[in-house]
Amino acid sequence: MAKAPTKYEMPKAYEPGKVEQKWYKFWLDKGYFTPKIDPKKKPFVIIMPLPNITGELHMGHVCFLTPEDIMTRWHRMKGEPALWLPGIDHAGIAAQVVVEQQLAKEGTDRHKMGREKFLERMYQWAEECRKMITEQEQRMGASCDWSREKFTLDEGPSRAVCMAFVRLYDKGLIYRGERIINWCPRCATALSDLEVEHKDIQGHLYYVRYPLQGDKEFITVATTRPETILGDTAVAVNPRDKRFKGMVGKKVVLPAVKRVIPIIADEAVDPDFGTGVVKITPAHDPVDFDIAQRQGLPMVNILNLDVTMNENAGKYVGLDRFDCRQAILADLEQDGLLVKVEPYSHSVGHCDRCQVIIEPLASKQWFVDTKPLAQPAIDAVKDGRITIIPERFTKVYLNWLEDIRDWCISRQLWWGHRIPVWYCQDCGELTVAVDEPKACSQCGSSNIEQDPDVLDTWFSSALWTHSTLGWPDDTEDLRYFYPTTVMETGYDILFFWVARMIMMGLGDTGDIPFSTVYLHGLLRDEKGEKMSKVRGNVLNPIDTLEKYGADALRFALTSGIPPGNDIKLTAPRLEAGRNFANKLWNVTRFMVRSIESKGANVRIQRDGLPVEDRWILSRLSRTISSVTGLMGDFQFGEALGQIHDFLWGEFCDWYVELAKIRLRSGEAPSPLPVLVYVLETSLRLLHPFMPFVTEELWQNLKKRLPSDWQKLESIMVAAYPEADEKAVDPQAERVMGAIIEIIHAIRNARAEYKVESRRWIEAQVYAGELTPAITPYSQAIQALARARPVTFLVRREEAPSAENVLALVLKEAEIVIPMERMVDLEVERERLQSEIEQSQAEVASLEARLRDKAFLTKAPPDVVGRERDKLAERKSRLERLKQGLDRLI
Ligand SMILES: [Zn+2]
Ligand SMILES: [Zn+2]
């Protein structure tokens, strides 16, 4: 004998806090997140973009967690072995800065502690952060495989870093050289070009006279950084500039330090900048550095690494760079060498991490020769092996790679992968090796010292798709999961990360690292401003999760947003997500109660189904096929929008309402099987987007279903719905479309005439050839539109004359509503009359305003525009009121 279903009330309201952690733990314990390697199946693989170790989860992380979880859950439900591999980045500079600040508060610093103790402290701190980040990712519902989680400084990825370095070095693609680098004086390290943020600054252009040697004459140069005069080793003109014919080869005396330097000619000089004569400071400007290399000019570095002036600065030694500028200007002025000063707006590099002004300076660093690596990365996108979504970023990617510059990879930090290079103190040669060498590879001396610097953090993340899977070893994971499927990340790190991963992936493995790049947008607040700590407009993800629930947050980040578009995260969007979860809760609760009171026969008998059953099954099938297509095209925002509109706008608002009428009347067939079927299928359709609420509801529903439903443990491992082509029923859609239209139209008329909710109004419907199909729904129309009686006219002529009636012409039907059933005619006339008068006054005042010349010239154009729109809107309202009054007479 079948066991009677246990009476169990679902709570009145959905409380995400009570179910989210329960289900996450359930999924984790069941091992659903770890894919089974099946050589017969093609896996779906995403390697997670690495959150920085520097503290807690922020909204930027939830931006990638959401689409990646959607994709992974979807593919898993489609039966593919789905791997989403999580990881964490050691975040070189950013992390070291945090711990150094802690040390400063404790009255110590890394130098006092020593490298070893300092790194111990860093690891301790990193471990705490790692735990916190993992916990927060889990709260978002991230279904990633924690058994494969990696940290960039773990042994495997670290070995991969050394291996990649050695391979590039052996190919001659890594070199050490003196180049102009971007020096951040605050972070005390070199930065790559990408880590420098260029901002327009209102500065000055200083015109300075350089006296010709042994002559009373001068030539005048213009500069924005007069302190760099101290490092000049030439002045230059363009060889085709006729103004300076005969000057080239002469010498000038450098002001302030009185060094004698030549006048040279070089094509790189822009004759239109300043006076056409430029100063050449090879140690402090990248363009001048190149000129100096061509022309064989010496380099004079004038700065210490804390950006005070060094001994080459003569009497200015010890001054800070900006104090030195003032001192030199004062001296030039006194000597009559400062000709003029002009305001000048120019672009100045700032440190991406700390916003301090970057100092370009010549320094010996390690570089990757990127051009030979870039070409295969360009080809992979051009020949379609890698697709970038949205497509508009393809051009941005190609432009950057075609114009790529060498990548400075050494950083003067302690936290990171130490450069695998040892210098011999005896013969001076280098040993480059994956494992720590015992002796110099050239002379065998054991007197060797490792390079003190570490590698750019992006060097290790560039290997992330293959280093996490075991490269350089030939592992089962690497063979099965590489190349990965999708790289999902923010468009802001297309160059930092995506392009470099493609270059290094191809270089190390000979194969592309992924076939699709999916770029999501950045998060903005309701005013459209980018969320950032500096602006103080950041929402805390944990607070948001607690207030709205993870599903609501995921909904707000996804619904309606096309790939690559920025996301405005606002309270109304979050509320919409929460309301949707509540709506689903309520409808499931209603269904659970109905099953308990009516029994649990939930098998659909396809023959003889009423129109509304055929309609909802048809709409469900169409929604599934559309959603599946959209998911395949990475249109998750649109897919979720369609599921939402189907569930709320068609299922809850119409089908469930009609089903309630049937359940009350007890008329056969019962709508329960269709209710259960559509809800259960839709929950699976929605699961990848809102995993927690769908699991909770699915489990609640499952408990009430017959025993063959109990085999499946979780919605997470149930099959993703597939469209049933046979269910598509255009005739049922047409009839239900007409019924919905009729009810809508009557409800709108009630709203327009402010009919009290308890008042019944009369409606006469003419529906032409659909009349026989619609007639059985007159009860439903009565109940849902509060219209009684509803009469069906056989011929249009039966409609009474147009006086004192409201006639509505719809797509499939016409409706006639006698006015006296809706309103008290006398009162309505008065109401309309008074509204017309008020409306006329408003129109007149707006018209006067828009004729006022003073207003039109002084007000900003958008204000004038708003007033014009208001006038148009008021005029049309007045027109409608007048028509309404005409109908009553
Ligand atoms: Zn900095
Ligand atoms: Zn040696």
Side-chain angles (χ1 to χ4, degrees):
M1 219 180 93
K3 233 172 79 187
T6 35
K7 282 271 177 211
Y8 162 77
E9 264 301 284
M10 279 172 69
K12 265 221 160 80
Y14 177 51
E15 289 178 60
K18 286 200 174 145
V19 309
E20 288 176 354
Q21 295 184 21
K22 170 185 79 180
W23 288 122
Y24 197 86
K25 190 170 177 311
F26 175 79
W27 298 327
L28 197 61
D29 291 347
K30 289 279 179 190
Y32 295 156
F33 301 155
T34 302
K36 289 193 182 58
I37 291 184
D38 178 353
K40 287 193 290 295
K41 287 181 176 170
K42 192 174 164 4
F44 174 80
V45 188
I46 293 187
I47 306 291
M48 181 194 283
L50 308 144
N52 283 348
I53 196 77
T54 48
E56 46 198 276
L57 196 68
H58 58 72
M59 279 293 180
H61 298 135
V62 303
C63 273
F64 72 69
L65 289 172
T66 304
E68 288 170 30
D69 196 46
I70 291 171
M71 283 186 251
T72 310
R73 285 178 185 271
W74 178 51
H75 284 275
R76 193 184 289 120
M77 288 176 82
K78 289 202 303 174
E80 300 162 32
L83 171 63
W84 180 18
L85 192 149
I88 289 185
D89 195 284
H90 65 281
I93 303 183
Q96 182 164 324
V97 165
V98 174
V99 173
E100 284 189 305
Q101 281 166 353
Q102 291 178 0
L103 294 179
K105 276 192 202 137
E106 295 162 22
T108 183
D109 63 46
R110 65 178 162 124
H111 300 286
K112 284 185 201 148
M113 287 177 90
R115 191 162 188 147
E116 206 174 310
K117 280 260 168 313
F118 176 74
L119 288 178
E120 234 170 68
R121 171 77 181 250
M122 287 290 314
Y123 273 107
Q124 248 172 33
W125 170 82
E127 194 46 42
E128 285 162 29
C129 294
R130 187 177 172 170
K131 271 195 213 122
M132 198 152 63
I133 290 173
T134 304
E135 193 189 309
Q136 292 169 341
E137 287 171 339
Q138 298 187 341
R139 290 197 63 179
M140 279 300 287
S143 65
C144 33
D145 182 2
W146 298 106
S147 71
R148 286 184 167 87
E149 193 199 9
K150 293 283 186 306
F151 179 43
T152 42
L153 295 181
D154 284 351
E155 200 186 326
S158 297
R159 230 178 92 76
V161 164
C162 294
M163 183 58 89
F165 187 99
V166 170
R167 284 167 50 100
L168 287 173
Y169 181 82
D170 288 346
K171 284 185 196 159
L173 295 179
I174 278 188
Y175 64 91
R176 190 176 187 229
E178 187 159 42
R179 295 278 181 284
I180 293 283
I181 49 101
N182 308 290
W183 181 259
C184 174
R186 209 220 55 86
C187 299
T189 181
L191 301 173
S192 74
D193 293 339
L194 278 181
E195 290 158 299
V196 177
E197 195 183 315
H198 289 275
K199 295 187 202 170
D200 274 338
I201 289 238
Q202 190 57 53
H204 296 95
L205 195 56
Y206 304 92
Y207 289 77
V208 180
R209 281 173 165 170
Y210 285 27
L212 285 169
Q213 189 187 23
D215 205 327
K216 293 247 154 35
E217 278 185 68
F218 300 93
I219 59 170
T220 304
V221 302
T223 178
T224 56
R225 297 185 296 162
E227 67 280 10
T228 61
I229 287 174
L230 302 171
D232 287 356
T233 58
V235 291
V237 296
N238 189 293
R240 280 165 301 167
D241 194 334
K242 293 200 180 70
R243 290 174 293 177
F244 305 108
K245 254 214 160 108
M247 286 290 211
V248 176
K250 288 189 174 172
K251 294 200 157 55
V252 293
V253 180
L254 203 55
V257 276
K258 312 286 183 233
R259 202 166 54 238
V260 177
I261 58 172
I263 301 174
I264 60 161
D266 195 282
E267 287 288 347
V269 177
D270 174 9
D272 295 328
F273 175 77
T275 57
V277 187
V278 296
K279 54 199 274 320
I280 305 296
T281 325
H284 298 283
D285 182 278
V287 177
D288 294 2
F289 181 89
D290 291 345
I291 294 176
Q293 295 281 322
R294 279 200 293 276
Q295 306 264 359
L297 296 173
M299 306 237 272
V300 176
N301 186 340
I302 54 167
L303 286 172
N304 295 311
L305 292 181
D306 63 357
V307 292
T308 56
M309 310 310 289
N310 69 15
E311 63 284 356
N312 289 331
K315 68 178 206 189
Y316 305 100
V317 65
L319 286 180
D320 168 78
R321 57 180 165 169
F322 297 126
D323 295 338
C324 176
R325 179 178 297 179
Q326 295 316 317
I328 285 193
L329 286 171
D331 289 348
L332 290 173
E333 178 120 60
Q334 204 172 27
D335 297 344
L337 296 176
L338 187 60
V339 183
K340 61 175 176 174
V341 182
E342 282 176 354
Y344 186 68
S345 166
H346 61 130
S347 164
V348 176
H350 290 68
C351 173
D352 193 33
R353 293 273 164 221
C354 72
Q355 300 301 317
V356 161
I357 291 183
I358 287 299
E359 199 59 51
L361 52 87
S363 168
K364 212 168 196 187
Q365 303 281 348
W366 286 96
F367 292 87
V368 175
D369 176 6
T370 35
K371 278 222 154 51
L373 295 169
Q375 195 52 50
I378 291 170
D379 296 343
V381 168
K382 276 194 174 163
D383 65 22
R385 276 175 293 151
I386 298 177
T387 312
I388 300 179
I389 298 169
E391 208 263 329
R392 63 178 183 273
F393 287 103
T394 305
K395 218 176 140 211
V396 182
Y397 167 89
L398 292 174
N399 285 347
W400 186 71
L401 280 178
E402 275 156 8
D403 209 21
I404 197 165
R405 297 178 54 185
D406 285 1
W407 172 15
C408 173
I409 51 170
S410 41
R411 297 287 180 276
Q412 287 63 55
L413 305 169
W414 287 354
W415 179 238
H417 299 100
R418 198 150 166 192
I419 292 176
V421 173
W422 286 259
Y423 303 99
C424 178
Q425 307 300 303
D426 292 329
C427 75
E429 290 295 326
L430 311 180
T431 304
V432 180
V434 175
D435 300 307
E436 186 167 357
K438 298 250 178 309
C440 167
S441 58
Q442 298 294 314
C443 74
S445 160
S446 58
N447 191 11
I448 52 172
E449 253 172 48
Q450 189 172 4
D451 194 300
D453 290 351
V454 299
L455 287 164
D456 180 6
T457 306
W458 294 103
F459 189 85
S460 51
S461 26
L463 317 177
W464 205 233
T465 46
H466 49 290
S467 70
T468 49
L469 295 173
W471 186 90
D473 298 328
D474 180 25
T475 60
E476 188 186 25
D477 271 11
L478 189 66
R479 283 194 302 271
Y480 187 64
F481 293 115
Y482 192 89
T484 70
T485 319
V486 177
M487 175 41 61
E488 195 284 344
T489 190
Y491 65 71
D492 54 332
I493 54 173
L494 180 62
F495 307 139
F496 278 105
W497 199 36
V498 179
R500 285 169 177 167
M501 254 187 302
I502 298 176
M503 289 196 286
M504 300 294 264
L506 283 162
D508 286 340
T509 72
D511 207 343
I512 51 167
F514 31 73
S515 44
T516 301
V517 177
Y518 173 91
L519 300 168
H520 65 246
L522 306 182
L523 214 51
R524 296 183 185 275
D525 66 9
E526 60 277 347
K527 288 186 217 107
E529 293 216 41
K530 199 178 152 180
M531 282 197 183
S532 73
K533 275 200 179 139
V534 183
R535 289 195 178 91
N537 58 353
V538 189
L539 282 178
N540 178 314
I542 298 301
D543 294 349
T544 313
L545 281 173
E546 259 154 30
K547 188 162 175 204
Y548 297 97
D551 290 323
L553 177 53
R554 293 166 64 117
F555 179 93
L557 290 167
T558 310
S559 177
I561 294 166
N565 278 35
D566 288 349
I567 304 161
K568 271 192 194 173
L569 189 61
T570 58
R573 283 185 69 84
L574 288 159
E575 279 154 19
R578 187 170 58 188
N579 293 345
F580 186 36
N582 288 339
K583 186 84 182 171
L584 296 174
W585 182 269
N586 291 338
V587 78
T588 308
R589 194 164 173 267
F590 152 74
M591 226 173 280
V592 159
R593 294 174 135 190
S594 306
I595 294 172
E596 280 170 356
S597 62
K598 308 266 174 189
N601 178 11
V602 292
R603 215 157 302 285
I604 301 177
Q605 302 294 333
R606 295 269 171 178
D607 296 332
L609 287 180
V611 169
E612 69 266 32
D613 288 10
R614 287 188 280 126
W615 166 73
I616 199 70
L617 292 171
S618 174
R619 289 295 309 135
L620 175 67
S621 174
R622 282 196 205 265
T623 305
I624 294 170
S625 89
S626 171
V627 164
T628 306
L630 290 165
M631 301 284 276
D633 291 339
F634 296 86
Q635 302 276 353
F636 309 116
E638 178 62 19
L640 176 55
Q642 291 194 3
I643 299 171
H644 170 272
D645 292 352
F646 169 75
L647 266 169
W648 193 317
E650 294 181 293
F651 183 64
C652 294
D653 279 357
W654 295 104
Y655 185 75
V656 173
E657 292 309 311
L658 290 166
K660 280 180 183 166
I661 297 172
R662 262 162 78 190
L663 282 170
R664 272 198 298 271
S665 73
E667 138 203 357
S670 161
L672 257 182
V674 173
L675 275 170
V676 169
Y677 176 83
V678 175
L679 178 68
E680 195 275 339
T681 310
S682 306
L683 288 176
R684 280 186 282 128
L685 198 60
L686 180 63
H687 176 75
F689 301 90
M690 300 174 81
F692 293 111
V693 70
T694 50
E695 180 77 283
E696 174 72 12
L697 296 176
W698 190 85
Q699 297 280 357
N700 262 299
L701 191 60
K702 190 186 90 164
K703 263 188 232 164
R704 275 87 183 173
L705 300 180
S707 58
D708 52 332
W709 287 80
Q710 308 307 322
K711 276 172 278 173
L712 210 53
E713 284 172 337
S714 162
I715 190 172
M716 195 184 142
V717 289
Y720 203 68
E722 280 177 34
D724 174 7
E725 293 304 327
K726 290 199 298 291
V728 174
D729 188 334
Q731 181 59 17
E733 287 183 2
R734 188 175 167 208
V735 173
M736 265 311 291
I739 294 167
I740 289 172
E741 198 185 26
I742 290 165
I743 296 170
H744 256 310
I746 300 173
R747 283 179 179 173
N748 286 348
R750 294 182 64 106
E752 192 184 336
Y753 286 92
K754 302 189 171 68
V755 180
E756 296 160 53
S757 60
R758 55 192 162 78
R759 187 171 184 150
W760 290 82
I761 65 173
E762 185 190 338
Q764 296 154 357
V765 178
Y766 171 76
E769 60 174 41
L770 290 183
T771 305
I774 293 174
T775 313
Y777 289 89
S778 66
Q779 287 290 332
I781 296 170
Q782 286 186 17
L784 298 177
R786 284 194 83 72
R788 198 163 59 200
V790 173
T791 28
F792 285 87
L793 309 176
V794 179
R795 284 187 307 276
R796 201 185 309 236
E797 293 77 53
E798 279 182 52
S801 66
E803 257 178 36
N804 284 346
V805 299
L806 180 64
L808 308 166
V809 180
L810 315 176
K811 211 168 96 214
E812 296 278 11
E814 284 175 36
I815 300 175
V816 174
I817 301 173
M819 290 303 286
E820 75 267 12
R821 290 294 302 272
M822 283 210 287
V823 290
D824 182 328
L825 289 180
E826 204 43 53
V827 174
E828 182 62 9
R829 260 184 224 118
E830 275 170 29
R831 183 183 74 85
L832 284 175
Q833 198 58 57
S834 106
E835 281 200 35
I836 285 169
E837 278 160 24
Q838 196 191 339
S839 197
Q840 274 166 336
E842 279 171 4
V843 167
S845 119
L846 280 166
E847 278 175 339
R849 180 152 223 217
L850 285 164
R851 273 196 306 270
D852 180 3
K853 286 239 165 52
F855 170 72
L856 291 176
T857 48
K858 279 190 198 129
D862 59 320
V863 172
V864 177
R866 267 204 298 277
E867 294 294 294
R868 287 219 167 91
D869 292 346
K870 216 195 255 173
L871 175 62
E873 187 256 316
R874 295 295 144 87
K875 272 184 166 169
S876 103
R877 179 175 140 78
L878 179 60
E879 208 41 54
R880 270 182 286 126
L881 289 167
K882 281 181 176 166
Q883 281 170 5
L885 187 62
D886 286 348
R887 272 200 296 269
L888 296 181
I889 294 161

